[in-house]
Amino acid sequence: MENYSEFNIQYIKGVGEKRARLFNKLGIYSVADLIHFYPRKYQDWNNCETVLSAPENEAVAIKATMITPVKENLIRKGLTLYKCNFSDGQTVIHVTIFNNKYLAKALRTFDEYILYGKIEKSFTNAFMSSPQIEKADTAQGIHPIYSATENLNSKVIAKVVKTALDKFEYFEDTLDNEIRDKYNLCSLDFAIRQIHFPSEEKNIETARRRLIFEELLTLQLGLMKLRDKKETKNNFIINYDFTEEFLTLLPFELTNAQKNAITDCVKDMMSKKTMNRLIQGDVGSGKTAVATAAMFTAIKNGYQCAMMAPTEILASQHFESLSKLFENTEINIALLTGSTKAKEKREIKQALMSGEIDLIVGTHALIQNDVEFFNLALVITDEQHRFGVEQRASLAMKSASPHLMVMSATPIPRTLGLIIYGDLDISILGELPAGRKKIRTDVVDTSYHQRIYKFIKKAVDEGHQAYIVCPLVEESESDLIPATQYAEELSEKYFQGYNLALLHGKMKAKEKDRVMRSFENKETDILVSTTVVEVGVDVPNATIMLIENADRFGLSQLHQLRGRVGRGSEQSYCILVSDNKGESTRERLNIMKKTSDGFKIADYDLKTRGPGDFFGKRQHGLPNLVIADMLEDMETLTECQQCAKDMIKEDENLDKYPLLCNQISDMFRKTDY
Ligand code: ADP
Ligand code: MG
């Protein structure tokens, strides 16, 4: 039998060169492409209605006999109307056909047809305008509807698919019986035939399950293989573990989760292969300490480290706290951001090249071309999801395959995490440092403002600080209070005698830095801010987080914001203000009240707000999926991950599955990896 995956559709009967080009536009070149071009939906021509039972304004199938011959009506040049009457046994249906001479000529009085389309009813009659009409004896069945283009309609595509399916007797399976039985999958051949021309409605689901499974399995296996490929030789072998010494510098006890993560990292760096590790932990779980421990050991072994943060605020904060921690060591630290002065920048670059600087903290400025290192062995990116994959890669390019660690608080459900970070090993910080009190969260409306302000004043009087977050800087939506105006109003009307400062995204980096520093130094009592404080900022003395228009935020974002407080041993509060009384909004905000588990919150967000926050706005560079939907098909995804693991374990090269291997390379060739 001919190989269908290379069979050019041009040579399928009824296609030819011209039509093949139209198929090419849909990305269809081979029969393999064609059979994986699945219907968008189906029309059920099996369950025919009668006019009386048929709903209006909905496409229906009606079995009817033609009772009068076709009358031709030339309206004007190029527009001919054909009229004829059908009967379903009870009601007469007046049918109008536009311009379709071929169809009009084929219709025969007293023959039985199925009319498919919308029906309009009057007292005694019914009308159908340009319905699809086919002979009753051959038309029954479930008809596939394909996404058509202007010159290639669904019917033509269906016909070509049918011809192709008839030409190839059997589509060889990519999976063996064992796997199919275990995961309850039909054969590939059955799936392909039934997804296009289902003989029963329930077969569509059976076929879909198989094809979704296959696609997700291909993706998962591809990612796992990719990860194998990335496993490069360790060029920066760490010989000594300095974690014990590091502990003496820390003002606190590490949590077990932190200890385990540090052990993972040090083990990685001592192994024969380069480290590629994700440290995932909820806000406040202490990821920085893990990163710092790994850097300490690398530096003590004579290497350089780089830590990249997504904002200048965060970078300088890391710089400050690292400088303090390493105060009495010989470790030489520097900060490099977009606002570092030119002269200082030159000096820093020089010192990086000579190896004088051991540890550089910075923003994107670190990945500029002219930044060179002496022996960069460990690259850490904080809040990984803010960086694209390429940025992660380009910092890594600064050296011959340095060890990589990425830290993320984005609580992506584990299944998705495996896909997005499929090329990384993962250490999870599943516990918060001891002594943390649960943050008390309340949801109120704006009538509570006076009381809240009083509460904030009381906290400040007791020596604490507060954040007030509002969504936008400038008025773009009339019902939102712009931060600038709001800050002025607050300090004039409610907080006379208190120190307020404003922080927003449009400020210059230097200015932001100054504001942030004054908050850290307790010169500022209350920080009014847009969401720039969302990421990573750490001021343990702040105990109140007030969020205006809270309904404007996604839950995960609210969770991040809430994570800015409750970082010390004091009781902290998160107050969500919203006048939105909608039921779903209330329910959403109440989730914040009920749970402090970032993963649960993310799951809920995912279910109610859709994947936008995870996939839409960010590009993960994953291959496009045709039939599967990573979120809809999460359960299948989990099964596939298990299946892929077992397959690789049994046979790393997947020699038993040559067809699947081809599929993997096809899928990943289309993406630029
Ligand atoms: P995140 O994981 O959100 O990045 P950080 O690393 O900023 O969290 O840590 C949050 C706060 O908790 C910091 O003030 C840090 O010094 C402190 N911290 C980290 N680990 C511990 C610990 N084991 N015990 C007590 N405090 C800790
Ligand atoms: Mg952090």
Side-chain angles (χ1 to χ4, degrees), residues 287-288 382-383 536:
K287 295 181 288 293
T288 321
D382 192 9
E383 306 295 343

Side-chain angles (χ1 to χ4, degrees), residues 255 257-258 261 279-282 285-287 290 427-432:
T255 64
Q258 284 172 315
I279 308 294
Q280 187 170 51
D282 211 342
S285 58
K287 295 181 288 293
V290 175
S427 297
I428 292 181
L429 301 185
E431 62 180 315
L432 297 181

Side-chain angles (χ1 to χ4, degrees), residues 71-86:
K71 271 195 205 141
E72 191 176 318
N73 243 332
L74 183 71
I75 303 288
R76 56 177 159 76
K77 202 166 173 239
L79 178 62
T80 312
L81 274 190
Y82 301 92
K83 290 189 167 181
C84 55
N85 298 318
F86 289 75

Side-chain angles (χ1 to χ4, degrees), residues 373-444:
F373 290 83
F374 176 66
N375 64 355
L376 178 64
L378 171 59
V379 168
I380 294 178
T381 53
D382 192 9
E383 306 295 343
Q384 149 71 14
H385 68 274
R386 301 267 157 158
F387 295 106
V389 176
E390 320 93 69
Q391 284 167 331
R392 203 207 303 168
S394 59
L395 187 51
M397 296 281 277
K398 299 275 171 196
S399 185
S401 309
H403 300 294
L404 289 184
M405 179 197 290
V406 300
M407 299 192 275
S408 179
T410 311
I412 295 167
R414 192 170 157 68
T415 338
L416 285 182
L418 279 176
I419 289 284
I420 297 170
Y421 300 118
D423 56 335
L424 302 173
D425 294 309
I426 305 182
S427 297
I428 292 181
L429 301 185
E431 62 180 315
L432 297 181
R436 293 271 171 84
K437 292 206 177 73
K438 194 169 180 294
I439 300 166
R440 191 180 146 176
T441 303
D442 280 303
V443 184
V444 298

Side-chain angles (χ1 to χ4, degrees), residues 13 19 24 27 31 49 77 192 255 258 268 351 386 403 441 447 458 532 569 571 591 599 608:
K13 201 165 149 253
R19 213 170 238 175
N24 293 166
V31 168
E49 304 269 359
K77 202 166 173 239
I192 294 282
T255 64
Q258 284 172 315
D268 285 350
R386 301 267 157 158
H403 300 294
T441 303
S447 71
K458 189 162 157 274
V532 285
S569 52
Q571 175 64 53
I591 296 277
F599 281 81
T608 52

Side-chain angles (χ1 to χ4, degrees), residues 359-547:
L359 169 52
I360 183 91
V361 182
T363 54
H364 293 89
L366 281 184
I367 58 178
Q368 273 153 16
N369 281 334
D370 55 350
V371 181
E372 285 173 52
F373 290 83
F374 176 66
N375 64 355
L376 178 64
L378 171 59
V379 168
I380 294 178
T381 53
D382 192 9
E383 306 295 343
Q384 149 71 14
H385 68 274
R386 301 267 157 158
F387 295 106
V389 176
E390 320 93 69
Q391 284 167 331
R392 203 207 303 168
S394 59
L395 187 51
M397 296 281 277
K398 299 275 171 196
S399 185
S401 309
H403 300 294
L404 289 184
M405 179 197 290
V406 300
M407 299 192 275
S408 179
T410 311
I412 295 167
R414 192 170 157 68
T415 338
L416 285 182
L418 279 176
I419 289 284
I420 297 170
Y421 300 118
D423 56 335
L424 302 173
D425 294 309
I426 305 182
S427 297
I428 292 181
L429 301 185
E431 62 180 315
L432 297 181
R436 293 271 171 84
K437 292 206 177 73
K438 194 169 180 294
I439 300 166
R440 191 180 146 176
T441 303
D442 280 303
V443 184
V444 298
D445 60 30
T446 45
S447 71
Y448 279 74
H449 267 146
Q450 296 293 342
R451 258 180 278 180
I452 302 168
Y453 298 150
K454 226 166 148 185
F455 184 65
I456 293 179
K457 279 187 195 169
K458 189 162 157 274
V460 173
D461 290 341
E462 286 166 5
H464 295 297
Q465 290 161 284
Y467 295 98
I468 299 180
V469 173
C470 19
L472 291 173
V473 192
E474 265 143 38
E475 188 125 5
S476 57
E477 288 164 88
S478 54
D479 57 332
L480 293 179
I481 318 154
T484 325
Q485 195 188 319
Y486 186 47
E488 274 168 24
E489 195 181 311
L490 283 175
S491 66
E492 279 165 24
K493 285 203 193 142
Y494 304 104
F495 292 101
Q496 290 124 331
Y498 291 83
N499 292 320
L500 267 79
L502 176 68
L503 186 71
H504 61 74
K506 294 202 177 127
M507 283 160 63
K508 290 231 168 67
K510 268 262 148 28
E511 187 66 4
K512 276 192 219 163
D513 212 50
R514 198 186 54 73
V515 171
M516 210 48 229
R517 207 157 301 205
S518 83
F519 190 61
E520 277 167 353
N521 300 338
K522 301 188 196 173
E523 286 156 25
T524 298
D525 305 316
I526 301 163
L527 186 65
V528 182
S529 160
T530 57
T531 54
V532 285
V533 294
E534 178 201 346
V535 175
V537 168
D538 184 35
V539 180
N541 190 49
T543 56
I544 298 177
M545 168 63 68
L546 165 62
I547 303 173

Side-chain angles (χ1 to χ4, degrees), residues 175 179 183 185 209-221 224 415 418-419 628 633-648:
L175 301 172
I179 290 178
Y183 293 99
L185 304 168
R209 168 165 170 80
R210 163 68 206 240
L211 297 169
I212 287 169
F213 190 97
E214 176 128 350
E215 185 168 48
L216 291 175
L217 180 68
T218 310
L219 174 68
Q220 191 63 48
L221 285 169
M224 287 166 95
T415 338
L418 279 176
I419 289 284
D633 303 313
M634 193 92 91
E635 266 172 51
T636 313
L637 184 55
T638 312
E639 288 179 292
C640 288
Q641 283 169 345
Q642 189 55 50
C643 182
K645 246 197 212 152
D646 293 344
M647 287 167 84
I648 295 256

Side-chain angles (χ1 to χ4, degrees), residues 48-51 54 60-64 88 93 113-115 119 128:
C48 292
E49 304 269 359
T50 61
V51 171
V60 290
I62 292 182
K63 195 187 262 184
D88 69 353
I93 309 161
Y113 294 93
I114 291 180
L115 314 175
I119 192 154
M128 288 181 99

